[in-house]
Coordinates of all heavy atoms in Angstrom, one line a residue:
T1 N -13.5 11.4 -13.1 CA -13.0 10.3 -12.3 C -14.2 9.7 -11.5 O -15.1 10.4 -11.2 CB -11.9 10.8 -11.4 OG1 -11.5 9.8 -10.5 CG2 -12.4 12.0 -10.5
A2 N -14.0 8.5 -11.1 CA -15.1 7.8 -10.3 C -14.8 7.9 -8.8 O -15.6 7.5 -8.0 CB -15.2 6.4 -10.7
F3 N -13.6 8.5 -8.5 CA -13.3 8.7 -7.0 C -14.1 9.8 -6.5 O -14.3 10.9 -7.1 CB -11.8 9.0 -6.8 CG -11.0 7.8 -7.0 CD1 -10.3 7.5 -8.2 CD2 -10.9 6.8 -6.0 CE1 -9.6 6.4 -8.4 CE2 -10.1 5.7 -6.2 CZ -9.5 5.5 -7.4
L4 N -14.7 9.6 -5.3 CA -15.5 10.6 -4.6 C -14.8 11.2 -3.4 O -15.4 12.0 -2.7 CB -16.8 9.9 -4.2 CG -17.6 9.2 -5.3 CD1 -18.8 8.5 -4.7 CD2 -18.1 10.2 -6.3
V5 N -13.6 10.9 -3.3 CA -12.7 11.5 -2.2 C -11.5 12.1 -2.9 O -11.1 11.6 -3.9 CB -12.4 10.5 -1.1 CG1 -13.6 9.9 -0.4 CG2 -11.6 9.3 -1.7
P6 N -10.8 13.0 -2.2 CA -9.5 13.5 -2.7 C -8.5 12.4 -2.8 O -8.4 11.6 -1.9 CB -9.1 14.6 -1.7 CG -10.3 14.9 -1.0 CD -11.2 13.7 -1.0
Y7 N -7.7 12.3 -3.9 CA -6.7 11.2 -4.0 C -5.5 11.7 -4.8 O -5.6 12.8 -5.4 CB -7.4 10.1 -4.8 CG -7.6 10.3 -6.2 CD1 -6.7 10.1 -7.2 CD2 -8.8 11.0 -6.6 CE1 -6.9 10.3 -8.5 CE2 -9.1 11.3 -7.9 CZ -8.1 10.9 -8.9 OH -8.4 11.2 -10.2
I8 N -4.5 11.0 -4.7 CA -3.3 11.2 -5.5 C -2.8 9.9 -6.1 O -3.1 8.8 -5.5 CB -2.1 11.8 -4.7 CG1 -1.8 11.0 -3.5 CG2 -2.5 13.3 -4.3 CD1 -0.5 11.5 -2.8
A9 N -2.2 9.9 -7.3 CA -1.6 8.7 -7.9 C -0.1 8.9 -7.7 O 0.5 9.9 -7.9 CB -1.9 8.6 -9.3
K10 N 0.5 7.8 -7.2 CA 2.0 7.8 -7.0 C 2.6 6.4 -6.9 O 1.8 5.5 -6.9 CB 2.3 8.6 -5.7 CG 1.8 7.9 -4.4 CD 2.2 8.7 -3.2 CE 1.8 8.0 -1.9 NZ 2.2 8.7 -0.7
E11 N 3.9 6.4 -6.9 CA 4.6 5.1 -6.8 C 4.6 4.7 -5.3 O 4.8 5.5 -4.4 CB 6.0 5.2 -7.3 CG 6.1 5.4 -8.8 CD 5.9 4.1 -9.6 OE1 6.2 3.0 -9.1 OE2 5.3 4.2 -10.7
S12 N 4.4 3.4 -5.1 CA 4.6 2.9 -3.7 C 5.8 2.0 -3.7 O 5.9 1.1 -4.5 CB 3.3 2.0 -3.4 OG 3.5 1.5 -2.1
P13 N 6.8 2.3 -2.9 CA 8.0 1.5 -2.9 C 7.8 0.0 -2.8 O 7.1 -0.5 -1.9 CB 8.8 2.0 -1.6 CG 8.2 3.4 -1.4 CD 6.8 3.3 -1.8
G14 N 8.3 -0.7 -3.8 CA 8.2 -2.1 -3.8 C 6.9 -2.6 -4.3 O 6.7 -3.8 -4.5
M15 N 5.9 -1.8 -4.6 CA 4.6 -2.2 -5.0 C 4.2 -1.6 -6.4 O 3.3 -2.2 -7.0 CB 3.5 -1.7 -4.0 CG 3.7 -2.3 -2.6 SD 3.7 -4.1 -2.5 CE 2.0 -4.4 -2.9
G16 N 4.8 -0.6 -6.9 CA 4.4 0.0 -8.1 C 3.4 1.2 -8.0 O 3.3 1.7 -6.9
R17 N 2.7 1.5 -9.1 CA 1.8 2.6 -9.1 C 0.5 2.3 -8.3 O 0.1 1.2 -8.2 CB 1.4 3.0 -10.5 CG 2.5 3.5 -11.3 CD 2.2 3.6 -12.8 NE 1.1 4.4 -13.1 CZ 0.8 4.8 -14.3 NH1 1.5 4.4 -15.3 NH2 -0.3 5.5 -14.6
G18 N 0.0 3.3 -7.6 CA -1.2 3.1 -6.8 C -2.0 4.4 -6.6 O -1.5 5.5 -6.9
I19 N -3.2 4.3 -6.1 CA -4.0 5.4 -5.8 C -4.1 5.5 -4.3 O -4.4 4.5 -3.6 CB -5.4 5.3 -6.4 CG1 -5.4 5.1 -7.9 CG2 -6.4 6.4 -6.0 CD1 -4.9 6.4 -8.7
F20 N -3.9 6.7 -3.8 CA -3.9 6.9 -2.3 C -4.8 8.1 -1.9 O -4.8 9.1 -2.6 CB -2.5 7.2 -1.8 CG -1.6 6.1 -2.1 CD1 -0.9 6.0 -3.4 CD2 -1.3 5.1 -1.2 CE1 0.0 5.0 -3.7 CE2 -0.5 4.0 -1.5 CZ 0.2 4.0 -2.7
A21 N -5.6 7.9 -0.9 CA -6.4 9.0 -0.4 C -5.5 10.2 0.1 O -4.5 9.9 0.7 CB -7.3 8.6 0.8
S22 N -5.9 11.4 -0.3 CA -5.1 12.6 0.2 C -5.8 13.3 1.3 O -5.4 14.4 1.6 CB -4.8 13.5 -1.0 OG -6.0 13.9 -1.6
A23 N -6.8 12.7 1.8 CA -7.6 13.3 3.0 C -8.1 12.2 3.8 O -8.2 11.0 3.3 CB -8.7 14.2 2.5
S24 N -8.5 12.5 5.0 CA -9.1 11.4 5.9 C -10.4 11.0 5.3 O -11.2 11.8 4.7 CB -9.3 12.0 7.3 OG -8.0 12.2 7.9
I25 N -10.7 9.7 5.5 CA -12.0 9.1 5.0 C -12.6 8.5 6.3 O -12.0 7.7 7.0 CB -11.7 8.0 4.0 CG1 -11.0 8.5 2.8 CG2 -13.0 7.3 3.6 CD1 -10.5 7.5 1.8
K26 N -13.9 8.9 6.5 CA -14.6 8.4 7.6 C -15.2 7.0 7.3 O -15.6 6.8 6.1 CB -15.7 9.4 8.0 CG -15.2 10.7 8.6 CD -16.4 11.6 9.0 CE -16.6 12.5 7.8 NZ -17.8 13.3 7.8
K27 N -15.3 6.2 8.3 CA -16.0 4.9 8.1 C -17.4 5.1 7.5 O -18.1 5.9 8.0 CB -16.1 4.2 9.5 CG -16.6 2.8 9.4 CD -16.6 2.1 10.7 CE -17.2 0.7 10.6 NZ -17.1 -0.1 11.8
G28 N -17.7 4.3 6.5 CA -19.0 4.4 5.8 C -19.0 5.3 4.6 O -20.0 5.3 3.9
D29 N -18.0 6.2 4.4 CA -17.9 7.1 3.3 C -17.8 6.3 2.0 O -17.0 5.3 1.9 CB -16.7 8.0 3.4 CG -16.9 9.2 4.3 OD1 -18.1 9.3 4.8 OD2 -16.0 9.9 4.5
L30 N -18.6 6.7 1.0 CA -18.4 6.1 -0.3 C -17.2 6.7 -1.0 O -17.1 7.9 -1.0 CB -19.7 6.4 -1.2 CG -19.8 5.7 -2.5 CD1 -19.7 4.2 -2.4 CD2 -21.0 6.2 -3.2
I31 N -16.3 5.9 -1.5 CA -15.1 6.4 -2.0 C -15.0 6.3 -3.5 O -14.2 6.9 -4.2 CB -13.8 5.8 -1.4 CG1 -13.8 4.3 -1.5 CG2 -13.8 6.2 0.1 CD1 -12.5 3.7 -1.1
Y32 N -15.8 5.4 -4.1 CA -15.7 5.1 -5.6 C -17.0 4.8 -6.1 O -17.8 4.0 -5.6 CB -14.7 4.0 -5.8 CG -14.2 3.8 -7.2 CD1 -13.1 4.6 -7.7 CD2 -14.8 2.9 -8.1 CE1 -12.7 4.5 -9.0 CE2 -14.3 2.8 -9.4 CZ -13.2 3.6 -9.8 OH -12.8 3.4 -11.1
D33 N -17.4 5.4 -7.3 CA -18.6 5.1 -7.9 C -18.4 4.4 -9.3 O -18.0 5.0 -10.3 CB -19.3 6.5 -8.2 CG -20.7 6.3 -8.8 OD1 -21.1 5.2 -9.1 OD2 -21.3 7.4 -9.0
Y34 N -18.6 3.1 -9.3 CA -18.4 2.3 -10.5 C -19.2 2.7 -11.7 O -18.9 2.5 -12.8 CB -18.6 0.8 -10.2 CG -17.5 0.2 -9.5 CD1 -17.5 0.1 -8.1 CD2 -16.3 -0.2 -10.1 CE1 -16.5 -0.4 -7.3 CE2 -15.2 -0.7 -9.4 CZ -15.3 -0.9 -8.0 OH -14.3 -1.4 -7.3
S35 N -20.4 3.4 -11.4 CA -21.2 3.8 -12.6 C -20.5 4.9 -13.4 O -21.0 5.2 -14.5 CB -22.6 4.3 -12.0 OG -22.5 5.5 -11.4
R36 N -19.5 5.5 -12.9 CA -18.8 6.6 -13.6 C -17.5 6.0 -14.3 O -16.6 6.8 -14.5 CB -18.4 7.7 -12.6 CG -19.7 8.3 -12.1 CD -19.4 9.3 -11.0 NE -18.6 10.4 -11.5 CZ -18.2 11.4 -10.8 NH1 -18.5 11.5 -9.5 NH2 -17.5 12.4 -11.3
T37 N -17.5 4.7 -14.6 CA -16.3 4.1 -15.2 C -16.7 3.6 -16.6 O -17.9 3.3 -16.8 CB -15.7 3.0 -14.4 OG1 -16.7 2.0 -14.3 CG2 -15.3 3.5 -13.0
A38 N -15.7 3.4 -17.5 CA -16.0 2.8 -18.7 C -16.1 1.3 -18.5 O -15.2 0.7 -17.9 CB -14.9 3.1 -19.7
Q39 N -17.1 0.7 -19.0 CA -17.3 -0.8 -18.9 C -17.6 -1.3 -20.3 O -18.4 -0.8 -21.0 CB -18.5 -1.1 -17.9 CG -18.2 -0.5 -16.5 CD -19.4 -0.7 -15.6 OE1 -20.3 -1.5 -15.9 NE2 -19.3 0.0 -14.5
F40 N -17.0 -2.4 -20.6 CA -17.1 -3.0 -21.9 C -17.5 -4.5 -21.8 O -17.0 -5.2 -20.9 CB -15.8 -2.9 -22.7 CG -15.3 -1.5 -22.8 CD1 -14.4 -1.0 -21.9 CD2 -15.7 -0.7 -23.8 CE1 -13.9 0.3 -22.0 CE2 -15.3 0.6 -23.9 CZ -14.4 1.1 -23.0
W41 N -18.5 -4.9 -22.6 CA -19.0 -6.3 -22.5 C -18.1 -7.2 -23.3 O -18.1 -8.4 -23.0 CB -20.4 -6.4 -22.9 CG -21.3 -5.5 -22.1 CD1 -22.0 -4.4 -22.5 CD2 -21.7 -5.7 -20.7 NE1 -22.7 -3.8 -21.5 CE2 -22.5 -4.7 -20.4 CE3 -21.3 -6.7 -19.8 CZ2 -23.0 -4.5 -19.1 CZ3 -21.9 -6.5 -18.5 CH2 -22.7 -5.5 -18.2
E42 N -17.5 -6.7 -24.3 CA -16.7 -7.6 -25.2 C -15.3 -6.9 -25.5 O -15.2 -5.7 -25.5 CB -17.4 -7.8 -26.6 CG -18.7 -8.5 -26.4 CD -19.5 -8.6 -27.7 OE1 -19.1 -8.0 -28.7 OE2 -20.6 -9.2 -27.6
G43 N -14.4 -7.7 -25.8 CA -13.0 -7.2 -26.1 C -13.0 -6.3 -27.2 O -12.2 -5.3 -27.2
R44 N -13.8 -6.5 -28.3 CA -13.8 -5.7 -29.4 C -14.2 -4.2 -29.1 O -13.7 -3.3 -29.7 CB -14.6 -6.2 -30.6 CG -16.1 -6.3 -30.3 CD -16.9 -6.7 -31.6 NE -18.3 -6.8 -31.2 CZ -19.1 -5.7 -31.0 NH1 -18.6 -4.5 -31.2 NH2 -20.3 -5.9 -30.7
Q45 N -15.1 -4.1 -28.1 CA -15.5 -2.8 -27.7 C -14.4 -2.0 -27.0 O -14.2 -0.8 -27.3 CB -16.7 -2.9 -26.7 CG -18.0 -3.4 -27.4 CD -19.0 -3.8 -26.3 OE1 -18.7 -4.3 -25.3 NE2 -20.3 -3.4 -26.6
F46 N -13.6 -2.7 -26.2 CA -12.5 -2.1 -25.5 C -11.4 -1.7 -26.6 O -10.8 -0.6 -26.5 CB -11.9 -3.1 -24.5 CG -10.8 -2.5 -23.7 CD1 -10.9 -1.3 -23.0 CD2 -9.6 -3.2 -23.7 CE1 -9.8 -0.8 -22.3 CE2 -8.5 -2.7 -23.0 CZ -8.6 -1.5 -22.3
R47 N -11.2 -2.6 -27.5 CA -10.2 -2.3 -28.6 C -10.6 -1.1 -29.4 O -9.7 -0.2 -29.7 CB -10.0 -3.5 -29.5 CG -9.2 -4.6 -28.8 CD -8.8 -5.8 -29.7 NE -10.0 -6.4 -30.3 CZ -10.7 -7.4 -29.8 NH1 -10.3 -7.9 -28.6 NH2 -11.7 -7.9 -30.5
E48 N -11.8 -0.9 -29.7 CA -12.3 0.2 -30.5 C -12.1 1.5 -29.6 O -11.7 2.5 -30.1 CB -13.8 0.0 -30.9 CG -14.4 1.2 -31.6 CD -13.7 1.6 -32.9 OE1 -13.0 0.8 -33.5 OE2 -14.0 2.7 -33.4
F49 N -12.4 1.4 -28.4 CA -12.2 2.5 -27.4 C -10.8 3.0 -27.5 O -10.5 4.2 -27.6 CB -12.7 2.1 -26.0 CG -12.4 3.2 -25.0 CD1 -13.2 4.3 -24.9 CD2 -11.4 2.9 -24.0 CE1 -12.9 5.3 -23.9 CE2 -11.2 3.9 -23.0 CZ -11.9 5.1 -23.0
L50 N -9.9 2.0 -27.4 CA -8.4 2.3 -27.4 C -8.0 2.9 -28.7 O -7.2 3.8 -28.8 CB -7.6 1.1 -27.1 CG -7.7 0.5 -25.7 CD1 -6.9 -0.8 -25.6 CD2 -7.1 1.5 -24.7
R51 N -8.6 2.4 -29.8 CA -8.2 2.9 -31.2 C -8.5 4.4 -31.4 O -7.7 5.1 -32.0 CB -9.0 2.1 -32.2 CG -8.5 2.3 -33.6 CD -9.4 1.6 -34.6 NE -10.7 2.2 -34.7 CZ -11.1 3.4 -35.2 NH1 -10.1 4.1 -35.8 NH2 -12.3 3.8 -35.2
I52 N -9.6 4.9 -30.8 CA -9.9 6.3 -31.0 C -9.2 7.2 -30.1 O -9.3 8.5 -30.2 CB -11.4 6.5 -30.9 CG1 -12.0 6.2 -29.6 CG2 -12.1 5.7 -32.0 CD1 -13.5 6.5 -29.4
L53 N -8.5 6.7 -29.1 CA -7.7 7.6 -28.1 C -6.4 8.0 -28.7 O -5.8 7.2 -29.5 CB -7.5 6.9 -26.8 CG -8.7 6.5 -26.0 CD1 -8.3 5.7 -24.8 CD2 -9.5 7.8 -25.5
P54 N -5.9 9.1 -28.3 CA -4.5 9.4 -28.7 C -3.6 8.4 -28.1 O -3.8 7.8 -27.0 CB -4.2 10.8 -28.0 CG -5.6 11.4 -27.8 CD -6.5 10.2 -27.6
N55 N -2.5 8.0 -28.8 CA -1.6 6.9 -28.3 C -1.1 7.0 -26.9 O -1.1 6.0 -26.2 CB -0.4 6.8 -29.2 CG -0.7 6.2 -30.6 OD1 -1.8 5.6 -30.8 ND2 0.1 6.5 -31.6
D56 N -0.7 8.2 -26.4 CA -0.2 8.4 -25.1 C -1.3 8.1 -24.0 O -1.1 7.5 -23.0 CB 0.4 9.7 -24.8 CG -0.5 10.9 -25.1 OD1 -1.4 10.8 -25.9 OD2 -0.2 12.0 -24.5
L57 N -2.6 8.5 -24.4 CA -3.7 8.3 -23.5 C -4.1 6.8 -23.5 O -4.4 6.2 -22.4 CB -4.9 9.1 -23.8 CG -6.1 9.0 -22.9 CD1 -5.8 9.3 -21.5 CD2 -7.2 10.0 -23.4
A58 N -4.0 6.2 -24.7 CA -4.3 4.7 -24.8 C -3.4 3.9 -23.9 O -3.7 2.9 -23.3 CB -4.3 4.3 -26.2
C59 N -2.1 4.3 -23.9 CA -1.1 3.6 -23.1 C -1.4 3.8 -21.6 O -1.3 2.8 -20.9 CB 0.3 4.2 -23.4 SG 1.0 3.7 -25.0
D60 N -1.8 4.9 -21.2 CA -2.2 5.1 -19.8 C -3.4 4.3 -19.4 O -3.5 3.6 -18.4 CB -2.6 6.6 -19.5 CG -1.4 7.5 -19.3 OD1 -0.2 6.9 -19.2 OD2 -1.5 8.7 -19.3
V61 N -4.4 4.2 -20.3 CA -5.6 3.4 -20.1 C -5.2 1.9 -19.9 O -5.7 1.2 -19.0 CB -6.6 3.5 -21.3 CG1 -7.7 2.5 -21.2 CG2 -7.2 4.9 -21.2
M62 N -4.3 1.5 -20.8 CA -3.8 0.1 -20.7 C -3.1 -0.2 -19.3 O -3.3 -1.2 -18.7 CB -2.9 -0.3 -21.8 CG -3.6 -0.4 -23.2 SD -4.8 -1.7 -23.2 CE -3.8 -3.1 -23.1
M63 N -2.4 0.8 -18.9 CA -1.6 0.6 -17.6 C -2.6 0.5 -16.4 O -2.3 -0.1 -15.4 CB -0.7 1.8 -17.4 CG 0.5 1.8 -18.3 SD 1.7 0.5 -17.9 CE 2.2 1.0 -16.3
W64 N -3.7 1.2 -16.5 CA -4.6 1.3 -15.4 C -5.9 0.4 -15.5 O -6.8 0.4 -14.6 CB -5.1 2.8 -15.1 CG -3.9 3.6 -14.6 CD1 -3.1 4.3 -15.3 CD2 -3.5 3.7 -13.2 NE1 -2.2 4.9 -14.4 CE2 -2.4 4.5 -13.2 CE3 -4.0 3.1 -12.0 CZ2 -1.8 4.9 -12.0 CZ3 -3.4 3.5 -10.8 CH2 -2.3 4.3 -10.8
S65 N -6.0 -0.3 -16.6 CA -7.2 -1.2 -16.9 C -7.1 -2.4 -16.0 O -6.1 -2.9 -15.7 CB -7.2 -1.5 -18.3 OG -7.4 -0.4 -19.1
Y66 N -8.3 -3.0 -15.8 CA -8.4 -4.3 -15.1 C -9.7 -5.0 -15.6 O -10.6 -4.3 -16.1 CB -8.4 -4.1 -13.6 CG -9.5 -3.2 -13.1 CD1 -10.7 -3.8 -12.7 CD2 -9.4 -1.9 -13.0 CE1 -11.8 -3.0 -12.2 CE2 -10.4 -1.1 -12.5 CZ -11.6 -1.6 -12.1 OH -12.6 -0.8 -11.7
V67 N -9.7 -6.2 -15.3 CA -10.9 -7.0 -15.7 C -11.7 -7.4 -14.4 O -11.1 -7.7 -13.4 CB -10.5 -8.3 -16.4 CG1 -11.7 -9.2 -16.7 CG2 -9.8 -8.0 -17.7
Q68 N -13.0 -7.2 -14.5 CA -13.8 -7.5 -13.3 C -15.1 -8.2 -13.8 O -15.7 -7.7 -14.7 CB -14.2 -6.2 -12.6 CG -15.1 -6.4 -11.4 CD -15.4 -5.1 -10.6 OE1 -15.1 -4.1 -11.1 NE2 -16.0 -5.3 -9.5
D69 N -15.4 -9.3 -13.2 CA -16.6 -10.1 -13.5 C -17.7 -9.4 -12.8 O -17.8 -9.5 -11.5 CB -16.5 -11.5 -13.2 CG -17.7 -12.3 -13.5 OD1 -18.7 -11.8 -14.0 OD2 -17.7 -13.6 -13.3
L70 N -18.6 -8.8 -13.5 CA -19.8 -8.1 -12.9 C -21.0 -9.0 -12.6 O -22.0 -8.6 -12.2 CB -20.2 -6.9 -13.7 CG -19.1 -5.8 -13.9 CD1 -19.6 -4.8 -14.9 CD2 -18.7 -5.2 -12.6
G71 N -20.8 -10.3 -12.9 CA -21.8 -11.3 -12.6 C -23.0 -11.3 -13.5 O -24.1 -11.8 -13.2
Y72 N -22.9 -10.7 -14.7 CA -24.0 -10.7 -15.6 C -24.1 -11.8 -16.6 O -25.0 -11.9 -17.4 CB -24.0 -9.4 -16.5 CG -24.1 -8.1 -15.6 CD1 -23.1 -7.1 -15.8 CD2 -25.1 -8.0 -14.7 CE1 -23.2 -6.0 -15.0 CE2 -25.2 -6.8 -13.9 CZ -24.3 -5.8 -14.1 OH -24.4 -4.7 -13.3
G73 N -23.2 -12.8 -16.5 CA -23.2 -13.9 -17.4 C -22.8 -13.6 -18.8 O -22.2 -12.6 -19.1
S74 N -23.2 -14.5 -19.7 CA -22.8 -14.4 -21.1 C -23.6 -13.4 -21.8 O -24.7 -12.9 -21.3 CB -22.9 -15.8 -21.8 OG -24.3 -16.1 -21.9
K75 N -23.2 -13.1 -23.1 CA -24.0 -12.2 -23.9 C -25.4 -12.7 -24.1 O -26.4 -12.0 -24.0 CB -23.3 -11.9 -25.2 CG -23.9 -10.9 -26.1 CD -23.0 -10.7 -27.3 CE -23.6 -9.7 -28.3 NZ -22.8 -9.5 -29.5
K76 N -25.5 -14.0 -24.3 CA -26.8 -14.6 -24.5 C -27.7 -14.5 -23.2 O -28.9 -14.1 -23.3 CB -26.7 -16.1 -24.8 CG -28.0 -16.8 -25.0 CD -27.7 -18.3 -25.3 CE -29.1 -19.0 -25.4 NZ -29.1 -20.3 -24.8
D77 N -27.1 -14.7 -22.1 CA -27.8 -14.5 -20.8 C -28.3 -13.1 -20.7 O -29.5 -12.9 -20.2 CB -26.9 -14.8 -19.6 CG -26.6 -16.3 -19.5 OD1 -27.3 -17.1 -20.1 OD2 -25.6 -16.6 -18.8
R78 N -27.5 -12.1 -21.0 CA -27.9 -10.7 -20.9 C -29.1 -10.4 -21.8 O -30.0 -9.6 -21.5 CB -26.8 -9.8 -21.2 CG -25.7 -9.8 -20.1 CD -24.7 -8.7 -20.3 NE -24.1 -8.6 -21.6 CZ -23.0 -9.3 -22.0 NH1 -22.4 -10.1 -21.1 NH2 -22.5 -9.1 -23.2
R79 N -29.1 -10.9 -23.1 CA -30.2 -10.7 -24.0 C -31.5 -11.3 -23.4 O -32.6 -10.7 -23.5 CB -29.9 -11.3 -25.3 CG -29.0 -10.5 -26.2 CD -29.0 -11.0 -27.7 NE -28.8 -12.4 -27.8 CZ -27.6 -13.0 -28.1 NH1 -26.5 -12.2 -28.2 NH2 -27.5 -14.3 -28.2
E80 N -31.4 -12.5 -22.8 CA -32.6 -13.1 -22.3 C -33.2 -12.4 -21.1 O -34.4 -12.4 -20.9 CB -32.3 -14.6 -22.0 CG -32.0 -15.4 -23.2 CD -31.5 -16.8 -22.8 OE1 -31.3 -17.1 -21.7 OE2 -31.3 -17.6 -23.8
K81 N -32.3 -11.8 -20.3 CA -32.8 -11.1 -19.1 C -33.3 -9.7 -19.5 O -34.0 -9.0 -18.7 CB -31.7 -10.9 -18.1 CG -31.3 -12.3 -17.5 CD -30.2 -12.1 -16.5 CE -29.8 -13.5 -15.9 NZ -28.7 -13.4 -15.1
G82 N -33.0 -9.2 -20.7 CA -33.5 -7.9 -21.1 C -32.7 -6.8 -20.6 O -32.9 -5.7 -20.5

């Protein structure tokens, strides 16, 4: 997991599934490390990742997945920047 603090996953009334801290967090504490997450540059890479997972785990991944623009530009831009 990329969480650096104790947490629980549970339903939030009227909001759906969520992640909640299970201990106090001090101001300034790092709570999540994005470098410990799966990141895909292209949809085909994500689809291949899902294909090799057991079906029940692939369904969980789909439920918890999200898209985030990391600001790296297009594939061509990434090649040019090295």
Side-chain angles (χ1 to χ4, degrees):
T1 177
F3 286 98
L4 303 175
V5 298
Y7 70 92
I8 57 172
K10 65 179 183 177
E11 292 284 329
S12 177
M15 299 299 291
R17 291 168 61 170
I19 301 292
F20 300 86
S22 61
S24 296
I25 301 172
K26 291 182 261 168
K27 184 176 180 176
D29 282 354
L30 184 62
I31 60 171
Y32 196 83
D33 180 0
Y34 284 97
S35 70
R36 297 173 62 182
T37 62
Q39 299 175 17
F40 304 94
W41 300 111
E42 298 175 355
R44 68 174 177 76
Q45 294 169 316
F46 182 58
R47 289 189 298 274
E48 176 63 14
F49 175 72
L50 291 174
R51 188 187 68 74
I52 63 174
L53 295 175
N55 287 341
D56 58 336
L57 183 55
C59 288
D60 282 349
V61 168
M62 290 295 296
M63 290 289 296
W64 289 95
S65 296
Y66 58 92
V67 174
Q68 180 179 5
D69 182 357
L70 299 175
Y72 297 128
S74 69
K75 186 176 180 180
K76 180 182 175 216
D77 292 340
R78 290 193 306 275
R79 281 195 308 263
E80 291 172 357
K81 290 180 182 175

